[in-house]
Amino acid sequence: ACWKTYLGRPEASFDRCNALGTIGGALRLNACFDDALLVYEAHLAVLQRHYPNEDKFMLAVKNNLASCCSNMGLHDRAVRLQREIHTRGVALYGVSDETVLVCSGCLGISLLACGRFVEAQTFLREQVPLIRSRYGSDHNTTLKSVQALAASLSDDPASTRENRLEAKRLMQDVVERRVRVYGRTHPTTRESERFLSRCA
């Protein structure tokens, strides 16, 4: 219905452009990742042609594209996109901008998925304090980033005993906060509890 409403408008129409983002999001939510990727790529191409100076919008669309790549297991491509977003976002808006911080968490997770544990550790140690300062310690974005840091410490084949103990301490705090904020039966709480059990 969204696409039928705006299909007849000129390609440069901002409403038509937004409709592409809405369709991509709906496809991704329904796990139609191949189709979502094509839509996000088309959305980005339209933006680059007609709205090259809409930096904030461009970064958000690239982040959607990177997240879709992650869903499809295209982690190297996701890392490349997220590095572009992060570098451009910091240059334009600074390290504490919301778009930049959300991308930071996603980049840390993608680095993990690529097996770049040391790089993920270094990056997330820098980013977690910034994310915590912006959102607070109980926010989901903060908790996901802390859990990613814990994973970078515990899942690294070269992990030391000190790293594993640090990962366990981090995850104990994450679980306590998730239980308090979301409840013990919430899916994200259970996921964090399972991760903590692996750190034991």
Side-chain angles (χ1 to χ4, degrees), residues 121 125 146 149-156 158-174 195-200:
Q121 287 170 35
R125 284 193 191 281
V146 173
L149 175 57
S152 73
L153 292 163
S154 67
D155 293 352
D156 184 354
S159 176
T160 65
R161 182 173 181 276
E162 288 73 20
N163 284 349
R164 292 190 295 274
L165 288 173
E166 182 183 356
K168 183 177 180 179
R169 287 193 299 272
L170 290 170
M171 285 311 303
Q172 285 171 334
D173 184 65
V174 168
F195 188 90
L196 174 57
S197 69
R198 284 170 36 208
C199 296

Side-chain angles (χ1 to χ4, degrees), residues 91-168:
L92 288 170
Y93 308 114
V95 295
S96 300
D97 176 74
E98 183 173 6
T99 301
V100 173
L101 291 175
V102 169
C103 175
S104 297
C106 293
L107 175 53
I109 291 168
S110 292
L111 288 169
L112 280 175
C114 291
R116 302 179 191 178
F117 299 105
V118 174
E119 191 176 353
Q121 287 170 35
T122 301
F123 181 71
L124 287 167
R125 284 193 191 281
E126 295 171 353
Q127 298 304 311
V128 165
L130 297 172
I131 293 169
R132 185 181 287 118
S133 176
R134 175 66 186 256
Y135 294 107
S137 297
D138 291 339
H139 194 281
N140 188 50
T141 300
T142 306
L143 296 173
K144 283 173 65 177
S145 300
V146 173
Q147 185 159 327
L149 175 57
S152 73
L153 292 163
S154 67
D155 293 352
D156 184 354
S159 176
T160 65
R161 182 173 181 276
E162 288 73 20
N163 284 349
R164 292 190 295 274
L165 288 173
E166 182 183 356
K168 183 177 180 179

Side-chain angles (χ1 to χ4, degrees), residues 73-89:
L74 305 173
H75 300 297
D76 286 324
R77 185 179 179 190
V79 166
R80 285 195 302 274
L81 283 165
Q82 286 157 349
R83 283 195 199 285
E84 288 177 20
I85 299 163
H86 189 264
T87 300
R88 181 66 173 161

Side-chain angles (χ1 to χ4, degrees), residues 35-48:
D35 292 331
L37 185 67
L38 293 174
V39 172
Y40 283 140
E41 287 173 337
H43 191 190
L44 182 60
V46 170
L47 275 177
Q48 289 170 333

